[in-house]
Amino acid sequence: MLGSDGTGDEEPLFRPYAVTGGRSEPRYHMAMETLVSSSFIMEEELALLTPEQDAIIRLCRSFRSVAEISALLRVPLGVARVLVADMADEGLVRLHQPRLDQGQPDLNMLERVLSGLRRL
């Protein structure tokens, strides 16, 4: 499908800022390396999700960073942060924040992010 600029790039799944009500920042800080995983959702409940929520739920069946979600959905990072934060508030996804306050990065988390980036 041709994008609006006439190239072969597909347009994003949704209009980014329309789905966030114009918000470009979540209500709380979320690092771009924050990992996101889907919460268990009954099949009947999937029908109640917005298309954006459904796409994020499906992407996050395996751990994904907020940066990966942004890239895969082709939306600005701020939009991905807002959508993920709203979904976390609704219990649709779980956030796995990096523990940077201990002075040492979590090596397990870094390995998962690296693995996810390699899959891109």
Side-chain angles (χ1 to χ4, degrees), residues 12 28 32 35 45 57 64 74 85 93 100 108 113 117:
Y28 48 87
M32 69 180 190
L35 294 177
E45 295 173 348
I57 290 290
R64 301 276 185 178
R74 296 184 326 182
V93 296
L100 301 177
N108 189 27
V113 170
L117 291 173

Side-chain angles (χ1 to χ4, degrees), residues 26-103:
R27 292 182 180 96
Y28 48 87
H29 176 74
M30 182 185 310
M32 69 180 190
E33 64 270 13
T34 298
L35 294 177
V36 183
S37 62
S38 300
S39 298
F40 178 76
I41 298 176
M42 301 292 288
E43 192 65 34
E44 307 83 51
E45 295 173 348
L46 285 174
L48 302 175
L49 299 176
T50 65
E52 306 83 44
Q53 291 172 327
D54 183 62
I56 291 171
I57 290 290
R58 292 179 192 284
L59 281 175
C60 294
R61 287 185 175 152
S62 59
F63 285 89
R64 301 276 185 178
S65 70
V66 175
E68 284 180 283
I69 294 168
S70 171
L72 292 169
L73 294 181
R74 296 184 326 182
V75 297
L77 184 58
V79 171
R81 283 180 172 146
V82 170
L83 292 171
V84 168
D86 289 351
M87 290 177 70
D89 289 344
E90 294 176 37
L92 297 172
V93 296
R94 289 184 294 262
L95 303 179
H96 309 275
Q97 300 275 6
R99 295 183 182 162
L100 301 177
D101 58 336
Q102 297 174 348

Side-chain angles (χ1 to χ4, degrees), residues 104-117:
Q104 295 279 345
D106 180 353
L107 292 179
N108 189 27
M109 185 271 305
L110 290 175
E111 288 173 6
R112 291 188 308 227
V113 170
L114 183 59
S115 174
L117 291 173

